[in-house]
Amino acid sequence: MTTPTPVLSIAPVVLPTPDRAVDLRLRISVPMTGDELPVVLLSHGQGYSNHLSSLNGYAPLVNFWAAQGFAVIQPTHLSSRTLNLEPGDPEAPMYYRSRAEDMVRVLDRLDEIETAVPHLRGRLDRGKIAVAGHSMGGHTASLLLGARYTDPVSGAEVDLAEPRISAGVLLAAPGRGGDALTEFVTENYAFFLGTDFSAMTTPALVVAGDKDASTHLTVNGPEWHADPYFLAPGRKTLLTLFDAEHGLGGISGYDVAETTDENPERVAAVARLTSAYLRSEFFPGDPAWRQACDELTSGPDPLGRIDLK
């Protein structure tokens, strides 16, 4: 049995942010040893739990990514139930633009973050930055990768693409807007209406469950979550997980009661494949991606399939 790689996780790292409702709080997770670590910004989803939608969620992915040599930075977005903010803000309750701006703040203030975490100082490779997100976090990640939306207040198209990000992972992310949305979403989350992937050119891995119907969000069924793959230009990869629902087996935390498709093997596969994908983007020639794909499709009952374009 392989000895696990020790991981150091520090939270909260607080960035004073006077122009934000509350200061920005982060969790930083890194391997105990190693330098020139690629950076992964991870955007949490929403959900019923009080703390998974914050810097305290997604441990099954975060711990694995850090052990594989990534520096993972997790913000607590203003939409988190842990903050319980007053509902008067025009972006509430999802804070769709603020979420993406949190990630930009992190990149702008990496020097400050390194100073706050001495064990991190000098260990980051700022030329290798990725963004990942689950569910609503997938929407956040897609905006940073180049997707656009129409502001429901001003009617203007919003472009939040971040050029410092060179790869992305979208986990059960929302698909297109318009007639793909339910009446509830149209009435309550109008920012989804104008979602447009036509300028999302940054390479990305789109992860979707073939049983993730998300009937509260879309009338298009599980295929909706594959829209970022089919509707975005450029180099994209689609991982379709068989029998997976919105939790993709339980990626948001260990033993999460709200997971409807609990499957540790599936969670482990998501961790391996997402890590391997990012390694293939940052370190061309790294064999991890090919190996992970072979493992996914081997045996009489494969966990999923891979499509490329």
Side-chain angles (χ1 to χ4, degrees):
M1 181 175 181
T2 303
T3 302
T5 300
V7 168
L8 176 69
S9 186
I10 300 176
V13 176
V14 182
L15 295 182
T17 318
D19 59 341
R20 194 173 179 268
V22 296
D23 290 337
L24 181 56
R25 295 187 166 222
L26 311 171
R27 176 179 295 277
I28 316 292
S29 301
V30 294
M32 286 290 291
T33 60
D35 296 314
E36 298 183 348
L37 306 176
V39 177
V40 180
L41 308 176
L42 175 58
S43 179
H44 63 72
Q46 295 305 118
Y48 303 110
S49 297
N50 288 316
H51 294 280
L52 295 176
S53 296
S54 75
L55 55 74
N56 293 314
Y58 297 90
L61 297 184
V62 173
N63 292 340
F64 187 88
W65 291 347
Q68 296 300 307
F70 296 97
V72 186
I73 303 179
Q74 299 172 257
T76 293
H77 297 304
L78 294 179
S79 60
S80 174
R81 290 169 66 98
T82 64
L83 299 178
N84 196 28
L85 297 178
E86 294 294 328
D89 190 293
E91 278 197 19
M94 291 300 181
Y95 293 91
Y96 39 91
R97 180 171 187 139
S98 170
R99 283 169 145 269
E101 291 173 342
D102 286 343
M103 302 307 211
V104 175
R105 291 180 200 271
V106 169
L107 296 181
D108 289 344
R109 300 172 71 174
L110 285 176
D111 285 342
E112 188 176 338
I113 292 170
E114 287 196 31
T115 299
V117 185
H119 192 74
L120 191 64
R121 191 172 299 145
R123 299 180 64 199
L124 301 181
D125 186 341
R126 303 189 188 193
K128 295 183 173 69
I129 297 174
V131 64
H134 174 232
S135 192
M136 185 62 194
H139 180 266
T140 301
S142 70
L143 296 180
L144 294 163
L145 295 170
R148 299 176 182 179
Y149 73 94
T150 302
D151 186 277
V153 177
S154 69
E157 184 180 64
V158 180
D159 178 4
L160 298 174
E162 173 48 66
R164 288 171 289 186
I165 294 173
S166 56
V169 175
L170 305 182
L171 300 155
R176 68 179 182 86
D179 61 5
L181 303 177
T182 63
E183 183 178 350
F184 173 81
V185 172
T186 299
E187 293 176 354
N188 293 277
Y189 304 124
F191 64 90
F192 275 134
L193 278 168
T195 301
D196 179 5
F197 297 105
S198 64
M200 197 180 83
T201 57
T202 307
L205 170 65
V206 178
V207 183
D210 69 359
K211 297 293 190 295
D212 182 7
S214 296
T215 55
H216 61 301
L217 298 175
T218 182
V219 298
N220 280 9
E223 292 79 9
W224 187 63
H225 294 287
D227 282 351
Y229 171 78
F230 289 106
L231 301 180
R235 191 158 45 85
K236 300 290 183 293
T237 303
L238 175 63
L239 165 59
T240 303
L241 295 168
F242 300 152
D243 296 320
E245 299 177 19
H246 199 60
L248 303 178
I251 62 170
S252 61
Y254 295 113
D255 297 322
V256 176
E258 68 188 45
T259 299
T260 57
D261 65 329
E262 186 174 28
N263 186 316
E265 185 182 10
R266 183 177 299 138
V267 173
V270 173
R272 286 195 306 271
L273 282 151
T274 51
S275 173
Y277 172 81
L278 292 175
R279 290 197 62 84
S280 73
E281 287 296 318
F282 291 141
F283 306 104
D286 189 293
W289 174 246
R290 178 176 50 79
Q291 293 170 359
C293 291
D294 289 345
E295 291 174 5
L296 175 76
T297 56
S298 64
D301 296 306
L303 293 173
R305 71 171 185 271
I306 299 288
D307 294 291
L308 306 170
K309 70 171 190 175

